[in-house]
């Protein structure tokens, strides 16, 4: 049974004569009012279905003309009334929602920040969606609650009542999406911790992975059906609450039609999807219990405490939406609804869910930081199993083993440890001094010293170099160098090959035998220059095959690539 406050039509008061009426001390032509089909209502408005004017002081018109024009009139659809209890309570709720909006933004910054590289299976937006929906819920609540001010201030129902309920329904959808994203992301976070020690312990395309891929689509399909049944409609019928007859004929049938009654069932399906997702996460990422009773106890025990509070509150939200679709006097669509039922069932559950979500966000750490802490704990456990004991950080500082953060200081410290100075100047100077001493020794022992460093290298002809009277090359013997330097090994190999291609003379062979072994030289692989033979003059050089210069002069002896 629908309860409606009686608002009967009023008869025009009597005036000075039969064609005159007196309304709040102002005389009007009754014939003109009846001609234009004006009716006086108990809310002190005068309307003919197209035009509406306020008749109580100080908004009473002064006169009405014969063509139906009112002078000094006030339109009915203006905010002329003082705010009522609906607006006062709504402003209080709006202040709390505004605080939740600020705290949700803080939590979005905290939990949305990345401290580890992005993984393909766990995108950063997945953990941010619950805070995006929190911001959406706060925004919708603020818009809807502040429109309650105009709902009270409008004497005749108009667009504010529509805006208030439009954003209230969006608030309910966003709250359910917030609960879903919190539940879904908790399961994703449990999976991330489960596979972090071993990324290959679970497959991506097994039954579990496909279930987690498809269940979000199922949830948002139910939510979209709830949105489709409520939002796309003719909201103008909700405004028709300007008289009791109009409310019964127009507003109540529109507010309790089949679409409003079917929408809560799809919202309940969304709630059931959250329960199934929570059960799936506990079943796969928490220890399993045997027996139905133990499984129920384990389900409640493994469930985070915030879900123990959020899920019943979200179910109460669904229940009130269904109640509003059947009971007009409890519906927020009613301008004169029961305020206790509207705020307690329509706004309080959503606000409490937001508060719980914000508090849990401050208590929980950033997931990347939590994962880094778990990795450190696993590393310490492995070190203890292997018997590795790491010294604390203060140990190095106490012993002076503190590395500077400046790379230039580290390089300079390494340079000082190896001798300082320029990188190659020390070795170059040592090599020059050693070669100068070897040159002086060779000149002192030779009667015709050579002042040219590469005097031992002569230009020969390939035919002349293969003379028959030349002694046979010495047999090949492996290099006596046994070090690890590949460059030194290559130099010894090239010396052996040069000895085979260019056989030395008897005198040079004796000189080479008397010289120290190449592996005894430590000057970057440089052997002493050959000062035994003299460099021939330019006139004695010839490229002719008949020349005997190659038989008289020593052959070319290549000891190192640096001698060429």
């Amino acid at each position: 049974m629908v309860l409606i406050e009686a608002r009967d039509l009023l008869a025009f008061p009597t005036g000075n004569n039969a064609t005159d009426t007196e309304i709040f001390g102002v005389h009007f032509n009754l014939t003109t009012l009846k001609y234009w089909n004006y009716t006086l209502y108990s809310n002190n408005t005068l309307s003919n279905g197209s035009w509406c004017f306020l008749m109580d002081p100080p908004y009473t018109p002064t006169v009405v003309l014969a063509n139906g024009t009112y002078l000094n009139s006030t339109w009915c659809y203006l905010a002329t009334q003082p705010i009522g209890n609906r607006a006062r309570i709504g402003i209080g709720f709006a202040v709390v929602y505004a605080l939740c909006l600020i705290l949700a933004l803080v939590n979005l910054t905290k939990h949305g920040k990345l401290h580890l590289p992005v993984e393909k299976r766990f995108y950063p937006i997945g953990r941010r969606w619950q805070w995006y929906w929190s911001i959406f819920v706060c925004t919708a609540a603020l818009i809807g609650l502040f429109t309650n001010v105009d709902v009270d201030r409008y004497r005749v129902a108009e667009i504010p009542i529509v805006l208030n309920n439009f954003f209230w329904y969006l608030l309910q959808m966003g709250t359910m999406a917030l609960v879903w994203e919190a539940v879904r992301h908790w399961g994703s976070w449990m999976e991330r911790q489960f596979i972090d020690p071993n990324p290959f312990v679970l497959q991506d395309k097994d039954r579990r992975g496909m279930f987690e891929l498809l269940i979000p689509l199922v949830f948002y399909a139910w939510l979209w059906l709830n949105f489709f049944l409520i939002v796309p409609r003719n909201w103008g019928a909700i405004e028709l609450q300007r008289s009791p007859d109009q409310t019964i004929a127009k507003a109540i049938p529109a507010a309790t039609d089949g679409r409003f009654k079917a929408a809560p069932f799809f919202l309940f399906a969304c709630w059931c999807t959250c329960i199934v997702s929570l059960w799936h996460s506990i079943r796969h990422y928490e220890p399993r219990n045997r027996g139905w009773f133990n499984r129920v106890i384990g389900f409640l025990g493994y469930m985070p405490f915030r879900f123990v509070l959020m899920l019943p509150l979200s179910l109460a939200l669904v229940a009130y939406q269904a109640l509003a679709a059947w009971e007009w006097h409890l519906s927020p669509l009613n301008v004169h609804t029961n305020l206790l039922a509207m705020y307690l069932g329509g706004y309080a559950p959503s606000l409490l869910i937001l508060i719980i979500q914000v508090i849990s966000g401050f208590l929980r750490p950033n997931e990347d930081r939590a994962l880094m802490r778990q990795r450190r704990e696993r590393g310490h456990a492995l070190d203890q199993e292997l018997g590795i004991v790491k010294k604390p950080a203060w140990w190095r500082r106490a012993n002076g083993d503190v590395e500077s953060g400046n790379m230039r200081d580290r390089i300079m410290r390494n340079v000082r440890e190896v001798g300082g100075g320029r990188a190659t100047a020390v070795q170059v100077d040592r090599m020059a001094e050693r070669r100068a001493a070897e040159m002086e020794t060779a000149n002192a022992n030779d009667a015709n010293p050579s002042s040219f460093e590469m005097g031992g290298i002569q230009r020969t002809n390939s035919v002349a170099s293969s003379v028959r009277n030349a002694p046979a090359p010495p047999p090949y013997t492996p290099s006596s160098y046994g070090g690890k330097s590949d460059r030194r090994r290559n130099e010894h190999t090239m010396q052996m090959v040069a000895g085979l291609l260019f056989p030395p003379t008897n005198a040079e062979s004796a000189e080479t035998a008397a010289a120290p072994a190449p592996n005894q030289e430590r000057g970057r692989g440089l052997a002493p220059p050959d000062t035994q033979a003299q460099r021939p003059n330019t006139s004695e050089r010839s490229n002719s095959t008949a020349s005997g210069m190659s038989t008289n002069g020593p052959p070319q002896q290549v000891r190192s690539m640096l001698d060429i």
Side-chain angles (χ1 to χ4, degrees):
M1 180 178 179
V2 180
L3 300 179
I4 301 176
E5 183 180 354
R7 294 180 179 273
D8 300 331
L9 303 179
L10 300 179
F12 287 104
T14 58
N16 296 332
N17 50 46
T19 60
D20 181 72
T21 181
E22 183 180 357
I23 303 175
F24 293 103
V26 180
H27 294 271
F28 297 94
N29 190 322
L30 184 59
T31 304
T32 304
L33 295 179
K34 291 182 178 180
Y35 177 79
W36 294 106
N37 197 24
Y38 277 101
T39 303
L40 183 64
Y41 292 90
S42 60
N43 59 356
N44 298 325
T45 59
L46 188 66
S47 174
N48 63 350
S50 299
W51 297 90
C52 181
F53 302 100
L54 300 179
M55 301 303 293
D56 55 333
Y59 310 108
T60 308
T62 57
V63 68
V64 57
L65 302 180
N67 59 358
T69 303
Y70 288 82
L71 301 181
N72 298 327
S73 61
T74 302
W75 184 247
C76 290
Y77 307 108
L78 294 177
T80 58
Q81 302 298 111
I83 62 174
N85 293 329
R86 180 167 184 160
R88 294 188 182 97
I89 301 175
I91 291 175
F93 272 85
V95 171
V96 183
Y97 272 106
L99 294 177
C100 291
L101 174 61
I102 298 174
L103 298 179
L105 292 172
V106 175
N107 277 283
L108 174 61
T109 304
K110 174 184 176 181
H111 293 277
K113 187 178 296 184
L114 298 179
H115 300 278
L116 291 174
V118 178
E119 301 179 24
K120 184 177 181 181
R121 296 173 65 174
F122 307 100
Y123 291 101
I125 196 173
R127 58 187 177 184
R128 298 171 184 168
W129 266 116
Q130 53 185 325
W131 304 111
Y132 292 154
W133 281 115
S134 300
I135 296 171
F136 175 83
V137 168
C138 293
T139 305
L142 289 174
I143 298 174
L145 288 170
F146 278 115
T147 55
N148 273 328
V149 176
D150 285 339
V151 172
D152 279 349
R153 297 194 65 191
Y154 274 64
R155 184 178 302 183
V156 180
E158 185 60 17
I159 192 67
I161 188 64
V162 174
L163 293 177
N164 174 254
N165 287 277
F166 178 83
F167 285 100
W168 178 75
Y169 278 108
L170 293 181
L171 163 72
Q172 298 228 316
M173 299 175 197
T175 305
M176 186 58 64
L178 164 62
V179 175
W180 158 252
E181 287 297 336
V183 171
R184 182 206 59 80
H185 174 66
W186 179 78
S188 176
W189 167 235
M190 297 300 294
E191 178 187 6
R192 188 179 183 187
Q193 297 177 91
F194 190 82
I195 70 172
D196 187 66
N198 182 11
F200 305 101
V201 69
L202 296 176
Q203 299 180 5
D204 293 339
K205 297 183 179 180
D206 57 351
R207 182 179 297 179
R208 176 202 58 82
M210 296 304 298
F211 179 86
E212 294 178 357
L213 177 65
L214 296 178
I215 192 171
L217 303 179
V218 174
F219 173 84
Y220 284 107
W222 295 126
L223 193 66
W224 165 251
L225 289 174
N226 179 266
F227 175 86
F228 180 77
L229 289 176
I230 291 177
V231 174
R233 63 169 55 245
N234 181 17
W235 288 88
I238 306 299
E239 302 177 16
L240 303 179
Q241 304 179 44
R242 297 152 188 169
S243 67
D245 294 338
Q246 190 182 57
T247 302
I248 295 174
K250 301 291 183 180
I252 294 178
T256 58
D257 62 357
R259 294 178 62 181
F260 274 119
K261 291 180 179 179
F265 290 99
F266 292 106
L267 203 64
F268 178 73
C270 294
W271 185 85
C272 294
T273 307
C274 296
I275 297 296
V276 172
S277 177
L278 187 62
W279 168 81
H280 169 83
S281 300
I282 294 176
R283 176 172 176 264
H284 285 87
Y285 308 123
E286 295 290 354
R288 297 185 180 181
N289 298 324
R290 294 184 177 180
W292 286 103
F293 181 77
N294 292 332
R295 290 181 181 178
V296 172
I297 297 300
F299 178 81
L300 298 176
Y302 293 134
M303 183 192 306
F305 182 70
R306 57 183 173 128
F307 294 154
V308 177
L309 301 176
M310 293 171 64
L311 289 174
L313 289 173
S314 59
L315 184 61
L317 183 143
V318 176
Y320 178 74
Q321 186 180 117
L323 180 65
W326 268 272
E327 297 294 335
W328 166 253
H329 68 285
L330 300 177
S331 174
L333 296 172
N334 186 0
V335 175
H336 306 284
T337 186
N338 187 325
L339 298 181
L340 178 63
M342 186 187 78
Y343 282 106
L344 189 61
Y347 288 95
S350 174
L351 182 60
L352 293 176
I353 289 174
L354 272 174
I355 294 174
I356 294 170
Q357 180 72 7
V358 166
I359 294 176
S360 67
F362 280 108
L363 296 179
R364 291 181 287 114
N366 182 281
E367 294 181 3
D368 286 351
R369 292 187 179 274
L371 204 62
M372 294 166 63
R373 179 182 56 80
Q374 294 178 10
R375 292 175 181 178
R376 287 194 301 268
E377 292 177 354
R378 289 197 300 267
H380 293 332
L382 292 176
D383 291 342
Q384 292 179 359
E385 293 178 1
L386 298 175
I388 300 175
V389 179
K390 293 184 178 180
K391 297 179 181 179
W394 59 264
W395 180 271
R396 299 177 62 185
R397 293 192 296 267
N399 291 272
D401 187 12
V402 181
E403 295 185 359
S404 175
N406 191 354
M407 182 59 66
R408 184 175 182 274
D409 295 340
R410 297 183 184 181
I411 295 174
M412 293 301 297
R413 184 173 62 252
N414 295 337
V415 170
R416 287 192 299 268
E417 291 177 358
V418 300
R422 292 176 296 170
T424 59
V426 177
Q427 298 296 335
V428 170
D429 295 341
R430 293 176 182 175
M431 181 178 62
E433 294 175 358
R434 182 171 60 253
R435 295 187 65 176
E438 292 173 354
M439 182 67 70
E440 293 177 359
T441 304
N443 292 337
N445 297 331
D446 193 359
N448 187 15
S450 175
S451 61
F452 190 71
E453 181 182 358
M454 300 179 66
I457 300 178
Q458 291 187 2
R459 187 175 182 179
T460 60
N461 190 282
S462 60
V463 178
S465 63
S466 59
V467 292
R468 297 180 180 180
N469 297 330
Y476 171 76
T477 57
S479 174
S480 60
Y481 176 73
K484 296 183 179 180
S485 176
D486 294 337
R487 184 178 59 82
R488 294 286 294 159
R489 189 178 293 106
N490 293 335
E491 291 176 0
H492 284 283
T493 303
M494 293 179 63
Q495 291 177 7
M496 294 296 102
V497 173
L500 295 176
L501 295 178
F502 306 101
T505 60
N506 295 333
E508 188 176 0
S509 299
E511 180 185 358
T512 305
N519 60 347
Q520 297 177 359
E521 300 294 333
R522 298 301 180 188
R524 292 186 179 272
L526 297 178
D530 187 3
T531 58
Q532 180 71 18
Q534 296 181 357
R535 180 180 179 89
N537 297 328
T538 304
S539 60
E540 297 178 359
R541 299 180 183 180
S542 175
N543 293 331
S544 174
T545 57
S547 173
M549 182 61 67
S550 62
T551 59
N552 296 331
Q556 183 177 6
Q557 179 70 25
V558 179
R559 292 187 177 90
S560 173
M561 293 299 295
L562 298 176
D563 294 338
I564 300 177

